[in-house]
Amino acid sequence: MAMAHVAAASCTCGSSVRSNSICSVTQEDNNNKSPFGNVLIGEGNRDASLGLGLFQGGPISGTMASATTTSTTLLGSGSRQQHRNSLHEIFDSNRLASLKEIVPTEVRHRLSFHLDECWFVLFSPSGEYLASTGRDHSVLIWKGINTLEPTVHQSIQFQRTVTQIEWSSDSKYLLINLGLDVNSIGLLVPECKVYEIATGEVILTRRHQSDGHDIHVNDVTWFDSTRFVTAPETGSVTVWNIQGNVVHEGDSGDKAVWRLRMIPGQERAICVTSDNSVEIVSFDGTPPKLVDRLSDRPGALAVSENAAYFAITMKGDPSLCRPAQVLVYDMHSLSFIRSMEADTFIDDVFVIMPAFCGPDMEIVCAGSETGKQHFWDIESGELIAVLDEHSQHSGWMSFNTATPGMMASCSDDNHIIIWVTKDLSRSLQDEDDLWIEQHTVISPPLNIKNGW
């Protein structure tokens, strides 16, 4: 199975994974230090109610005539409301049908080069490459994904499992995290490596240490094309340049960063700390802002390419009758939008990474421990589509931003599936025909007179 992280035990009194106990930040919270060396000053943005709304109305009183008039008025209002509801249903139905057209539902390729479970897939920003890794200790760089015959361009072997891969924004480098894998047995040396695609070599290796001992890195991400960020379990978030020099190091304080993602186009990041706080942090000394606080440790964190949304996956908890959820937030207002659920969306043990797709990133999606991929409409919360081609846990999905409509998914069944939309499948037909023509070998005519 794929990499798992041990979640800290916690107690909650409801079915929601979002804590209802901090509608405002207490003074004690404001005194807690951030791993970025600043003080929390923001207040959490939170919906007043996560359940049903309350409707209030006054009593109807008066004479029989006024009661009749009121009843007629209410009947007319009810009829108009029913009409409006029917129009909304038609609009929602048309919207969902339109959104379903931009979901990649057609299988273009099934790639099975990995010798064991495949855990992560990630398209390069240029769309030229696809990186994949898994339990077989290898990182594969695929090329020609748009063609009818993708090939392994480069293969990198390690002595242990890889827990994370991240492309630089210029697609020149691949950041590789050899972090904590609780499923592996034996001594695992925690390291972060930078792999250069042009040379096919690891050009940089860095470790974090505490009291002379190597420590694991919880998360890594790129700050820009030449600098990257590491978040070790000690709490000190560090920014490195491509030469391996530390250019920024935050104050560890009392808590570590569990998940970290840079906000596209900004020098700010969204992170989840070890006390389950969701924060917006800056590297210019600006104090961080508390967005939310969760009741449990999240599985994964993702930010949309247009910086409009971010999503957090939360594991299910049968003891609380709480299903697995994908929490979606508005990045501009820093407010919670809604949680996405589905009967077939299961996230109990392993990591499930959410992703965004669509022209305006209006669709959020996530894999499942059943192997299914789920797509939800962020605006309505409705389930748009469920893809069911993987036979085992599928925790990672990646979209090709250079070729809209193309997606990659991976699974513990060893397979990588390349998906495309119906429109993209039709538009690639001419390229496919040309590719077949160029790669067709024509045998010379047989000369019967000369025999065999």
Side-chain angles (χ1 to χ4, degrees):
M1 289 295 177
M3 175 188 66
H5 294 281
V6 179
S10 61
C11 179
T12 182
C13 58
S15 61
S16 173
V17 294
R18 301 175 63 243
S19 170
N20 292 321
S21 61
I22 59 156
C23 291
S24 61
V25 181
T26 62
Q27 184 64 36
E28 180 181 356
D29 292 331
N30 288 334
N31 292 330
N32 288 335
K33 279 192 174 182
S34 162
F36 295 81
N38 297 310
V39 180
L40 299 175
I41 64 168
E43 292 188 354
N45 291 281
R46 168 175 313 281
D47 294 342
S49 172
L50 298 179
L52 299 175
L54 299 178
F55 297 88
Q56 298 179 350
I60 299 177
S61 61
T63 63
M64 182 63 71
S66 62
T68 303
T69 303
T70 304
S71 299
T72 304
T73 303
L74 290 175
L75 182 60
S77 299
S79 178
R80 288 194 296 272
Q81 183 63 42
Q82 289 178 358
H83 178 64
R84 284 195 295 268
N85 289 341
S86 64
L87 291 178
H88 281 300
E89 289 176 1
I90 294 173
F91 173 79
D92 291 341
S93 177
N94 291 338
R95 174 181 170 81
L96 293 179
S98 298
L99 290 178
K100 192 169 184 178
E101 291 297 316
I102 59 179
V103 171
T105 57
E106 296 194 357
V107 175
R108 180 169 173 83
H109 297 300
R110 293 179 188 270
L111 311 176
S112 55
F113 199 86
H114 282 281
L115 301 178
D116 208 326
E117 300 170 356
C118 185
W119 292 350
F120 310 107
V121 287
L122 196 63
F123 277 108
S124 64
S126 67
E128 184 178 2
Y129 305 107
L130 174 72
S132 64
T133 187
R135 197 174 181 179
D136 60 359
H137 301 184
S138 68
V139 175
L140 304 181
I141 309 297
W142 298 83
K143 198 173 182 181
I145 298 297
N146 286 18
T147 69
L148 289 177
E149 191 176 357
T151 57
V152 175
H153 177 59
Q154 295 172 359
S155 177
I156 320 161
Q157 288 294 137
F158 296 94
Q159 297 298 316
R160 50 149 300 174
T161 52
V162 175
T163 58
Q164 191 180 359
I165 50 177
E166 294 290 334
W167 284 101
S168 61
S169 59
D170 56 8
S171 303
K172 293 182 178 180
Y173 307 102
L174 189 66
L175 180 60
I176 301 171
N177 182 20
L178 305 175
L180 177 63
D181 178 7
V182 298
N183 292 318
S184 295
I185 301 175
L187 179 63
L188 300 180
V189 178
E191 296 177 326
C192 292
K193 297 178 179 290
V194 176
Y195 180 83
E196 187 175 36
I197 303 301
T199 62
E201 296 179 353
V202 173
I203 62 172
L204 180 67
T205 299
R206 287 293 179 267
R207 298 181 185 177
H208 281 275
Q209 291 189 329
S210 178
D211 298 327
H213 300 285
D214 294 330
I215 57 176
H216 295 282
V217 171
N218 291 333
D219 208 348
V220 297
T221 189
W222 285 92
F223 189 86
D224 52 31
S225 60
T226 59
R227 292 176 292 178
F228 61 93
V229 186
T230 58
E233 57 187 2
T234 56
S236 300
V237 174
T238 305
V239 181
W240 311 75
N241 60 23
I242 203 67
Q243 290 77 32
N245 302 315
V246 174
V247 296
H248 175 85
E249 188 169 16
D251 184 8
S252 61
D254 298 326
K255 55 185 179 180
V257 168
W258 177 248
R259 290 287 179 258
L260 176 71
R261 281 289 165 268
M262 293 298 298
I263 301 174
Q266 303 181 27
E267 293 190 353
R268 299 191 305 162
I270 179 78
C271 71
V272 180
T273 60
S274 54
D275 65 349
N276 302 332
S277 296
V278 182
E279 301 175 6
I280 296 289
V281 296
S282 178
F283 295 87
D284 60 1
T286 304
K289 179 162 183 75
L290 179 63
V291 178
D292 203 350
R293 184 164 295 150
L294 310 172
S295 62
D296 293 303
R297 180 168 290 183
L301 167 69
V303 179
S304 64
E305 290 290 332
N306 61 356
Y309 308 101
F310 68 91
I312 299 172
T313 51
M314 302 296 299
K315 300 183 184 302
D317 191 339
S319 65
L320 300 174
C321 298
R322 187 187 71 209
Q325 301 172 333
V326 180
L327 308 182
V328 181
Y329 294 79
D330 184 284
M331 184 68 77
H332 301 297
S333 63
L334 299 182
S335 59
F336 174 73
I337 299 177
R338 59 172 44 88
S339 63
M340 309 299 185
E341 300 174 8
D343 292 339
T344 55
F345 176 54
I346 299 176
D347 180 11
D348 293 333
V349 180
F350 304 108
V351 173
I352 304 292
M353 172 63 73
F356 296 89
C357 66
D360 298 315
M361 300 292 137
E362 63 268 56
I363 298 175
V364 64
C365 54
S368 172
E369 291 184 14
T370 62
K372 295 179 172 64
Q373 281 80 39
H374 301 77
F375 295 78
W376 293 273
D377 173 23
I378 293 178
E379 180 177 315
S380 66
E382 294 291 332
L383 185 64
I384 302 170
V386 178
L387 308 183
D388 188 11
E389 290 289 337
H390 288 295
S391 60
Q392 297 182 41
H393 164 263
S394 177
W396 210 274
M397 303 158 67
S398 177
F399 290 86
N400 190 339
T401 55
T403 307
M406 178 176 289
M407 179 189 80
S409 64
C410 62
S411 170
D412 287 3
D413 61 13
N414 297 22
H415 290 119
I416 299 171
I417 296 181
I418 306 299
W419 306 80
V420 293
T421 61
K422 294 178 181 178
D423 286 344
L424 180 57
S425 180
R426 287 190 290 266
S427 65
L428 290 174
Q429 189 60 51
D430 291 340
E431 296 181 19
D432 292 346
D433 293 341
L434 179 60
W435 188 93
I436 293 174
E437 181 181 341
Q438 293 174 343
H439 290 77
T440 299
V441 178
I442 302 177
S443 301
L446 179 64
N447 191 334
I448 301 179
K449 292 183 179 180
N450 295 333
W452 295 97

